[in-house]
Amino acid sequence: MSIALGCIADDFTGASDLAAILARSGHQVGLRIGVPPADDDSPPAPFEVIALKCRTEPVDEAIAVTQKAADWLMARGAGQLYWKYCSTFDSTPDGNIGPVSEALMARLGTKQSIYCPAFPENRRSIYMGNLFVGDVPLDESPMRDHPLTPMRDANLMRLLAPQVEGKVGHIAWPEIAKGATHIAGQLRALAYNGVQHIVPDAISQADLAAISEAVQDFKLITGGSALALDLPRLLAAKGSVAETGGEITAPATAAGNIVLSGSCSAMTRAQVADYCASAASFRLDPLALADGPDALAEARQWLAAQDLKAAKIIYATAEPADVAAAQEQLGRDKAGQVVEDALAALAGDAFGHGVRRFVVAGGETSGAVTQALATDRLSVGREVAPGVPWCFAERGGETFAITLKSGNFGTEDFFTRALEMLG
Ligand code: ADP
């Protein structure tokens, strides 16, 4: 079997989000953690998603690793690539959304792509080029204070322009509303004028359906996960993948569980507060972690003493003022790193104690935890919330379940709800 759509995601929660959306079609979706070795001979699924951790890497490194991922996918038949980033366009003026797109476009020999992070089911919409989170523009949302990629503008064209060399353009909602054929015409007109990077407005899933139909033959599509929802159907209509309506099945896992949270996003803060009301909890302090080995040792001891099957959470989740204070003392990267390293080490310990159900909150955090569990391939199960599936993997001959929740996804009771789903 060869790959019909090869996907590259800039973080792990984003990858599982995209995999979940594609899996709704009933098709087999492979989720790879990092770029598999070139000689990997596991049979590829028609939809393969490679999870990277390159959202905040230096631009050159992000380009190098995404090129490697593209090579792996293209060597297995993928002629079309999907570059997945966050529905809140998490990036900085340097990148990495734009530079990676341009490098992938060059690799694929194409001169135009679209940038569509809209995810209406999770209340991310684009109107007149401005990205809204719920009722407010991106720069008035909690993303304003993100520890790594604070978003201080809502206009996607303005955010993208400094990241790319080519011209940036826009298709406004009244044009989108005229449907796929009209949008395709607009894209051709923009291409004629040398406009390579197009932001289409999208406020509903119907808008996304029309856009995906218009770009279904693009060699590179970029966006959030919701734009991909109709691609399996469109590819099936062209005969690139078989028609299917398969049921998603989940393997059984032992009941030991833990919630690990390194996300400081507003929704995660509410979720952590909700869970702490009924679960045993341990808070990690980045300043103490940076101070020496004692803080981690204390967390390890606490974890070792917990009842395996009882609800428990370890979190570094904190209010913006506390995050700012930690960053001021340690620097942004160091503050993030000590927390990620600690949660990764604790995930490994938890597995050793028999935990087989992991709920992880935070994109960067999920990358650190998944890598610590040394998992290179996950299968994708049912969604706990839109874009957040349970995934299943093997470690040392044992099956474990892991769900990777991006900061602002899910409702307040997400952690309880996720664990209840596994019975
Ligand atoms: P989200 O999905 O909400 O963006 P991430 O895990 O991607 O969450 O990013 C949160 C970052 O903040 C991580 O690098 C994490 O280690 C860091 N972090 C977590 N808690 C704190 C804290 N109390 N102070 C400073 N940084 C923190």
Side-chain angles (χ1 to χ4, degrees):
M1 194 188 292
S2 69
I3 300 173
L5 182 69
C7 308
I8 305 169
D10 69 350
D11 83 341
F12 285 47
T13 48
S16 78
D17 170 8
L18 177 59
I21 298 287
L22 291 166
R24 284 187 196 176
S25 66
H27 283 94
Q28 207 197 334
V29 181
L31 177 54
R32 312 275 179 159
I33 303 303
V35 185
D39 60 359
D40 173 280
D41 59 2
S42 59
F47 297 89
E48 285 284 352
V49 183
I50 296 183
L52 299 178
K53 193 172 179 303
C54 64
R55 181 170 296 169
T56 54
E57 296 294 297
V59 175
D60 290 352
E61 286 173 31
I63 289 177
V65 71
T66 47
Q67 290 284 334
K68 212 170 141 204
D71 288 344
W72 189 90
L73 293 162
M74 290 165 78
R76 284 155 187 79
Q80 184 174 40
L81 298 182
Y82 196 101
W83 167 225
K84 156 75 175 74
Y85 39 80
C86 190
S87 62
T88 43
F89 210 71
D90 302 13
S91 54
T92 68
D94 294 334
N96 291 332
I97 293 174
V100 167
S101 288
E102 282 192 324
L104 290 174
M105 283 162 74
R107 176 81 178 78
L108 288 160
T110 183
K111 292 214 162 15
Q112 197 176 51
S113 191
I114 58 157
Y115 299 76
C116 191
F119 193 161
E121 227 180 320
N122 279 335
R123 304 187 70 222
R124 272 68 160 156
S125 56
I126 309 168
Y127 187 67
M128 296 302 156
N130 295 292
L131 181 57
F132 288 82
V133 177
D135 305 337
V136 295
L138 176 64
D139 57 328
E140 292 174 29
S141 79
M143 278 309 294
R144 199 185 151 70
D145 297 314
H146 189 276
L148 304 179
T149 49
M151 301 305 289
R152 299 287 167 101
D153 194 353
N155 185 285
L156 291 172
M157 287 82 80
R158 264 195 318 257
L159 288 167
L160 185 59
Q163 298 186 27
V164 290
E165 308 215 324
K167 271 204 243 173
V168 175
H170 173 227
I171 304 179
W173 187 81
E175 310 297 331
I176 299 291
K178 291 180 186 161
T181 309
H182 183 77
I183 299 167
Q186 295 279 307
L187 287 165
R188 279 194 300 275
L190 286 161
Y192 182 75
N193 288 310
V195 185
Q196 294 188 297
H197 307 285
I198 319 296
V199 175
D201 282 351
I203 55 181
S204 67
Q205 193 61 44
D207 294 336
L208 291 176
I211 295 164
S212 58
E213 194 179 331
V215 301
Q216 60 178 306
D217 293 322
F218 272 36
K219 288 191 173 162
L220 177 70
I221 300 174
T222 93
S225 59
L227 179 64
L229 182 66
D230 281 310
L231 292 178
R233 183 180 57 73
L234 292 163
L235 285 164
K238 282 192 286 198
S240 305
V241 294
E243 298 279 356
T244 182
E247 273 286 300
I248 300 176
T249 52
T253 48
N257 69 82
I258 193 160
V259 177
L260 298 167
S261 176
S263 158
C264 298
S265 297
M267 181 47 83
T268 307
R269 298 203 304 271
Q271 288 161 339
V272 168
D274 183 77
Y275 201 62
C276 282
S278 58
S281 61
F282 189 96
R283 190 179 75 85
L284 295 171
D285 172 11
L287 294 173
L289 288 169
D291 210 29
D294 291 356
L296 179 57
E298 196 193 326
R300 290 187 131 141
Q301 267 174 14
W302 179 87
L303 176 60
Q306 296 308 303
D307 176 354
L308 190 60
K309 291 187 187 166
K312 60 192 140 324
I313 175 169
I314 300 179
Y315 65 97
T317 306
E319 295 298 315
D322 296 326
V323 173
Q327 290 183 334
E328 201 168 309
Q329 285 212 33
L330 302 174
R332 186 196 76 173
D333 292 349
K334 175 91 194 280
Q337 200 59 51
V338 290
V339 168
E340 289 175 36
D341 290 349
L343 287 170
L346 290 160
D349 280 12
F351 191 91
H353 298 318
V355 168
R356 296 292 179 268
R357 299 174 178 184
F358 294 84
V359 178
V360 187
E364 297 293 324
T365 309
S366 291
V369 168
T370 316
Q371 278 166 344
L373 293 174
T375 312
D376 53 9
R377 191 176 189 182
L378 298 167
S379 63
V380 181
R382 280 171 48 221
E383 288 167 282
V384 183
V388 198
W390 270 112
C391 297
F392 301 91
E394 299 277 321
R395 186 183 200 225
E398 298 256 348
T399 303
F400 70 93
I402 184 164
T403 182
L404 309 173
K405 188 198 80 76
S406 135
N408 282 314
F409 280 12
T411 49
E412 275 187 25
D413 60 350
F414 178 89
F415 300 146
T416 312
R417 184 194 285 232
L419 289 165
E420 275 174 7
M421 258 177 80
L422 295 181

